Amino acid sequence: MSRSRISQVVVTPVAFGDPPLLNVVGVHQPYALRAIVEVHTDSGLLGLGETYADEAHLARLSAVAEVLPGHDPYDLHGLRRLVTDVLGRETGGGGASFGGMLDVDSAVDTVYSPFEVACLDLQGHEAGVPVSDLLGGAVRDRVPFSGYLFHKWAGHPGLPDDAWGEALTPDQLVTQARRMVDGWGFGSLKLKGGVFHPDRECEAIEALRDTFPDLPLRLDPNGAWTPSTSLRAADRLAGVVEYLEDPTPGIRGMAEVAAGTDVPLATNMCVIAMEHLPPAIAQGAVQVVLSDHHLWGGLKKSALLGGITDVWGLGLSMHSNSHLGVSLAAMVHLAAATPNLTYACDTHYPWKTEDVITDGVLSFEGGSVAVPTTPGLGVTLDRDRLGELHEQYLSCGVRRREDTVYMRSIHPDFEVNTSRW
Amino acid sequence: MSRSRISQVVVTPVAFGDPPLLNVVGVHQPYALRAIVEVHTDSGLLGLGETYADEAHLARLSAVAEVLPGHDPYDLHGLRRLVTDVLGRETGGGGASFGGMLDVDSAVDTVYSPFEVACLDLQGHEAGVPVSDLLGGAVRDRVPFSGYLFHKWAGHPGLPDDAWGEALTPDQLVTQARRMVDGWGFGSLKLKGGVFHPDRECEAIEALRDTFPDLPLRLDPNGAWTPSTSLRAADRLAGVVEYLEDPTPGIRGMAEVAAGTDVPLATNMCVIAMEHLPPAIAQGAVQVVLSDHHLWGGLKKSALLGGITDVWGLGLSMHSNSHLGVSLAAMVHLAAATPNLTYACDTHYPWKTEDVITDGVLSFEGGSVAVPTTPGLGVTLDRDRLGELHEQYLSCGVRRREDTVYMRSIHPDFEVNTSRW
């Protein structure tokens, strides 16, 4: 049996409309960027991946894409070595699309990730099994997601209001939540905080609790608070939130908060790479880690994170940036095949109106997505849509995620809210 | 594409001649036992696994084998759930063939392991790729092993001397090592200790160092020493051994020794399951963990162990019990696909003269075994040999590994050496 080899790799940057969602560093730009990675084999198969699309990241993706032809899609260790070699000494962070919220020491994990996902998609097609099977098999046939609530403006300045409308008050957030729950069936809710004073955000959580007495709630201020403010908020929200995500920045700060409250602390900021686990665990800094295959270096490394959290008795949830359907498919397969991923996953999916995949596979019912059972990721690239979103990328002018820069173009005095309160 | 399902499972206990190798709990019996697990699919494929064959373990294997037909070989999470369900409350250790040296809290990992290996063998056959590819790809095309030296009698009492002859003195061990190195090409050596006074075993290591100045050396007293004796020995052997394996029992004892020496401490006794990692790491008890897919719950869980040791900066080596070719194949695939497994692996393979697989695939050259590149494990069951070794199992009378019982049948006053010196 002759082994198939990678014959061609295409990286296509795309842009899709994104509402003015507010966060600790500013506001989402009118367009979110993603890169769609196509990995073709000489046997005629196509594997898909999706990742960030900041210019620096695109340059790294292209450099890897160039040397991939001839590589065996099963050789993931070799792929990682290849990415490491290509990036060479140039492994600084900042290329990934975190809008200034995160910094990783090395770009290897984020650059490797979409190629790994595409190779697993290929392996699935080759073997005739879904990606979840390559990760040990689905332990659930549907993956639950949480409704992701944002403070937001009615629309981008200078553009018509979007369909969601303004959400700056607790009441408006409740209306947004109602729409999420009614339209998508979400069985839990997450509020992106760090935008207003902690009291106001706690008030919003309490308003959500009153309106949805049975839904688990999460609040994520993205490190906007000091440890003492975090402790006061934890006291106020004890028994109300299932976890508090990154109330304060850094492992040390989180450990200080964790020592003073029984409210579980989650993170996607102070533990975002394997090397953060030993100090975070030693200091008891967090009780729930958010996985994210884009950030943690692919699906297999995210499965390793799942195993580690299981061994150390930590909770496991899943983080999301603005994303399209290829990422959603990968997230669903990973979540389905991770036994201890018992929290509903985050997703920005409801906030977008465009995609690059064919409709019909990944639909939300009761807040969850059925795990595709066809080979690979189970999603199909719609080339017309890909072309349109690429054209949009070319014409929209956005080249990197810059929430703070965009916010300051509207409110010149805006200061990032990290540890502000 | 219709998915293949498990149609039949056959568990065959076998016995093969084993020399009188001495250790902390006694001496190897004339026959070592293994169970060969065949997992057949309705698509006509056969997957192989190999494990211990104590009676209690065989009973558990049979109970699982009975319920496996109909299961999907890709559904490893489901397989584990099934094993857990079948074993139910009866998860006590003691079934596995450790001769009294180890105890595990749960039999799930050891019972699950051979079925998982057989399912991965099947997946490899199904997809047309070697098992190493299912584990992320081989990072090395040959896997180096260490020559495993034992104190031993010339032969089993009442039977003719074996081909290796007596090894009770440092000189005799050097002769044994010479034979291992000349015959198999081993590039490193391990001495099983815990049999004689620590001074004599240190002397043996020093004699090996004099004779083989360039070979890395290991000494494994299997917990025969107190912490203070361990520290004295570590002092004597600093710069001579690459690591000292389980000088003293228990995480606490090992931590005490580790705090007082720079000689790396390895273990296959105090860290033999995932739940031992957090306390061992927190206490700094060990620097090298020995993986063993039979004990740790299969190849994927051993890969998880590899990932964990990598994240925490621990060394990784590989343990061996007396085993046959199916196990060796699995060990080779696992080792090949584990990037941070940089120590030569242990193996008892040179000590046996019989096998159940067809010759020619797993041959030692320069102390290493080439990773099979054919689908699955890459080894073929020889049904004549399997039949002969099963007949030998039926006729030999050994039903469980009992090093101490056998030793006492010869030396009635023998006491287990744990913490003796």
Side-chain angles (χ1 to χ4, degrees):
Chain A
M1 178 167 191
S2 87
R3 300 290 295 277
S4 71
R5 297 281 167 168
I6 293 170
S7 55
Q8 195 196 1
V9 180
V10 183
V11 179
T12 307
V14 297
F16 58 100
D18 199 21
L21 308 178
L22 298 163
N23 61 40
V24 75
V25 293
V27 58
H28 283 209
Q29 294 145 283
Y31 293 93
L33 308 183
R34 297 294 272 183
I36 303 301
V37 172
E38 296 173 50
V39 177
H40 299 265
T41 66
D42 53 15
S43 57
L45 296 175
L46 167 59
L48 297 175
E50 179 187 330
T51 180
Y52 322 103
D54 283 26
E55 280 173 313
H57 191 57
L58 282 178
R60 291 171 181 144
L61 295 173
S62 295
V64 172
E66 262 180 43
V67 301
L68 268 187
H71 194 79
D72 179 344
Y74 275 96
D75 184 11
L76 298 176
H77 291 311
L79 173 63
R80 194 172 170 88
R81 208 164 46 235
L82 196 149
V83 170
T84 308
D85 289 349
V86 167
L87 296 186
R89 297 183 167 278
E90 200 262 296
T91 56
S97 202
F98 306 128
M101 244 184 288
L102 299 178
D103 199 16
V104 287
D105 287 340
S106 160
V108 170
D109 280 325
T110 54
V111 173
Y112 169 77
S113 176
F115 299 108
E116 187 246 23
V117 172
C119 284
L120 288 168
D121 190 17
L122 285 170
Q123 291 181 25
H125 284 292
E126 196 88 58
V129 300
V131 165
S132 60
D133 272 358
L134 303 176
L135 302 172
V139 299
R140 44 189 75 91
D141 53 13
R142 304 192 66 86
V143 171
F145 286 84
S146 63
Y148 204 157
L149 311 179
F150 280 86
H151 295 95
K152 69 181 286 297
W153 298 329
H156 285 282
L159 295 172
D161 287 358
D162 60 49
W164 289 90
E166 186 181 83
L168 299 174
T169 67
D171 279 355
Q172 286 174 319
L173 285 170
V174 166
T175 302
Q176 186 187 98
R178 170 63 64 202
R179 182 166 169 180
M180 282 271 179
V181 170
D182 289 349
W184 302 70
F186 292 114
S188 61
L189 295 169
K190 166 172 174 167
L191 172 60
K192 173 63 81 183
V195 176
F196 293 110
H197 188 278
D199 286 346
R200 180 159 161 188
E201 298 190 348
C202 288
E203 199 184 312
I205 289 291
E206 287 160 351
L208 290 166
R209 167 54 66 241
D210 289 344
T211 313
F212 306 98
D214 300 326
L215 299 198
L217 302 174
R218 313 166 183 176
L219 174 58
D220 173 14
N222 274 133
W225 305 344
T226 62
S228 61
T229 298
S230 303
L231 282 166
R232 273 198 308 277
D235 200 40
R236 176 167 174 178
L237 298 179
V240 181
V241 288
E242 61 174 346
Y243 59 67
L244 200 51
E245 185 180 331
D246 292 309
T248 199
I251 289 173
R252 189 170 300 192
M254 289 285 277
E256 188 183 335
V257 179
T261 180
D262 289 335
V263 174
L265 301 189
T267 186
N268 179 60
M269 295 183 77
C270 71
V271 180
I272 57 169
M274 290 293 167
E275 62 261 34
H276 304 145
L277 285 163
I281 286 173
Q283 295 176 46
V286 297
Q287 288 72 53
V288 181
V289 178
L290 271 66
S291 67
D292 181 335
H293 73 272
H294 309 89
L295 184 53
W296 283 84
L299 300 178
K300 291 220 173 189
K301 219 165 159 189
S302 298
L304 168 60
L305 173 63
I308 289 173
T309 53
D310 190 39
V311 169
W312 267 268
L314 295 172
L316 185 67
S317 189
M318 191 184 282
H319 170 258
S320 148
N321 284 116
S322 301
H323 65 90
L324 297 169
V326 176
S327 281
L328 182 61
M331 292 159 72
V332 165
H333 283 285
L334 172 62
T338 307
N340 62 322
L341 184 57
T342 49
Y343 288 104
C345 301
D346 291 342
T347 180
H348 286 66
Y349 216 58
W351 292 106
K352 61 150 201 64
T353 56
E354 303 166 289
D355 212 323
V356 295
I357 62 165
T358 305
D359 290 336
V361 179
L362 303 168
S363 54
F364 282 78
E365 272 176 51
S368 69
V369 175
V371 185
T373 55
T374 51
L377 290 173
V379 291
T380 309
L381 205 54
D382 180 319
R383 295 215 168 266
D384 291 339
R385 292 177 167 187
L386 179 70
E388 283 160 25
L389 295 197
H390 178 58
E391 285 301 320
Q392 193 155 271
Y393 169 81
L394 293 176
S395 62
C396 75
V398 178
R399 285 299 173 267
R400 66 194 73 88
R401 181 174 168 186
E402 290 179 314
D403 298 29
T404 309
V405 171
Y406 177 53
M407 176 62 103
R408 285 185 180 151
S409 75
I410 301 153
H411 295 292
D413 295 337
F414 175 79
E415 291 294 336
V416 166
N417 287 332
T418 306
S419 295
R420 176 174 165 186
W421 289 289
Chain B
M1 181 167 190
S2 87
R3 300 289 297 274
S4 71
R5 297 279 167 170
I6 293 170
S7 56
Q8 196 196 1
V9 180
V10 183
V11 178
T12 308
V14 297
F16 59 99
D18 199 22
L21 308 178
L22 298 163
N23 59 40
V24 76
V25 293
V27 60
H28 283 207
Q29 295 145 282
Y31 293 93
L33 308 183
R34 297 295 270 183
I36 303 300
V37 172
E38 297 172 50
V39 178
H40 298 266
T41 67
D42 52 18
S43 57
L45 295 175
L46 167 59
L48 297 174
E50 178 186 331
T51 180
Y52 322 103
D54 283 28
E55 279 173 314
H57 190 57
L58 281 177
R60 292 172 181 143
L61 295 173
S62 295
V64 172
E66 262 180 44
V67 300
L68 268 187
H71 193 80
D72 178 346
Y74 276 95
D75 184 12
L76 299 176
H77 291 310
L79 173 63
R80 192 170 171 89
R81 211 163 43 235
L82 196 151
V83 170
T84 308
D85 289 349
V86 167
L87 296 185
R89 297 182 168 280
E90 200 264 292
T91 56
S97 201
F98 307 126
M101 244 183 288
L102 300 179
D103 198 15
V104 286
D105 287 340
S106 161
V108 171
D109 280 326
T110 54
V111 173
Y112 169 77
S113 177
F115 298 109
E116 186 247 24
V117 172
C119 284
L120 288 169
D121 191 16
L122 284 170
Q123 290 181 25
H125 283 292
E126 197 88 57
V129 300
V131 165
S132 60
D133 272 358
L134 303 176
L135 302 172
V139 299
R140 44 190 75 90
D141 53 12
R142 303 191 68 85
V143 170
F145 286 85
S146 62
Y148 204 157
L149 310 179
F150 280 85
H151 295 96
K152 68 181 289 294
W153 297 330
H156 285 282
L159 295 172
D161 288 357
D162 59 49
W164 289 89
E166 184 181 83
L168 299 174
T169 67
D171 279 355
Q172 287 174 319
L173 285 170
V174 166
T175 302
Q176 186 186 96
R178 170 63 65 203
R179 181 165 170 179
M180 282 272 179
V181 170
D182 290 350
W184 301 70
F186 292 114
S188 62
L189 295 169
K190 165 171 175 168
L191 172 60
K192 174 62 81 184
V195 176
F196 292 110
H197 189 278
D199 286 345
R200 179 159 162 189
E201 297 191 349
C202 288
E203 199 184 313
I205 289 291
E206 288 159 350
L208 291 165
R209 167 54 66 241
D210 289 345
T211 314
F212 306 98
D214 301 326
L215 299 198
L217 302 173
R218 313 167 183 175
L219 174 58
D220 172 15
N222 274 132
W225 305 343
T226 63
S228 60
T229 298
S230 302
L231 281 166
R232 273 198 308 279
D235 200 39
R236 177 168 173 176
L237 298 179
V240 180
V241 287
E242 59 174 348
Y243 58 68
L244 201 50
E245 184 179 332
D246 291 309
T248 199
I251 289 173
R252 190 170 301 194
M254 288 286 276
E256 187 182 337
V257 178
T261 180
D262 289 333
V263 174
L265 302 189
T267 185
N268 180 60
M269 295 182 77
C270 70
V271 181
I272 57 171
M274 289 294 166
E275 63 260 34
H276 303 145
L277 285 164
I281 286 174
Q283 295 176 46
V286 298
Q287 288 71 54
V288 181
V289 178
L290 271 65
S291 66
D292 180 336
H293 73 271
H294 309 90
L295 184 52
W296 284 83
L299 300 179
K300 291 218 172 192
K301 219 165 159 189
S302 298
L304 169 61
L305 173 63
I308 290 173
T309 53
D310 190 38
V311 170
W312 267 268
L314 295 172
L316 183 68
S317 190
M318 191 184 281
H319 171 258
S320 148
N321 285 116
S322 301
H323 66 90
L324 296 169
V326 177
S327 280
L328 182 61
M331 293 159 71
V332 165
H333 284 284
L334 172 62
T338 307
N340 62 322
L341 184 57
T342 49
Y343 287 104
C345 301
D346 291 342
T347 181
H348 286 67
Y349 216 57
W351 292 106
K352 60 151 201 62
T353 56
E354 302 166 291
D355 212 323
V356 294
I357 62 165
T358 306
D359 289 337
V361 179
L362 304 169
S363 56
F364 282 78
E365 272 175 51
S368 69
V369 175
V371 185
T373 55
T374 52
L377 289 173
V379 291
T380 308
L381 205 55
D382 181 319
R383 296 214 168 267
D384 290 340
R385 290 177 170 187
L386 179 70
E388 285 161 22
L389 296 196
H390 177 59
E391 284 302 319
Q392 193 155 270
Y393 169 81
L394 294 174
S395 63
C396 75
V398 178
R399 286 298 174 266
R400 65 193 75 89
R401 182 173 166 186
E402 292 179 312
D403 298 30
T404 308
V405 171
Y406 178 52
M407 177 61 103
R408 285 184 181 151
S409 75
I410 300 152
H411 296 292
D413 296 336
F414 175 80
E415 292 294 338
V416 166
N417 287 331
T418 306
S419 295
R420 175 172 166 189
W421 291 289

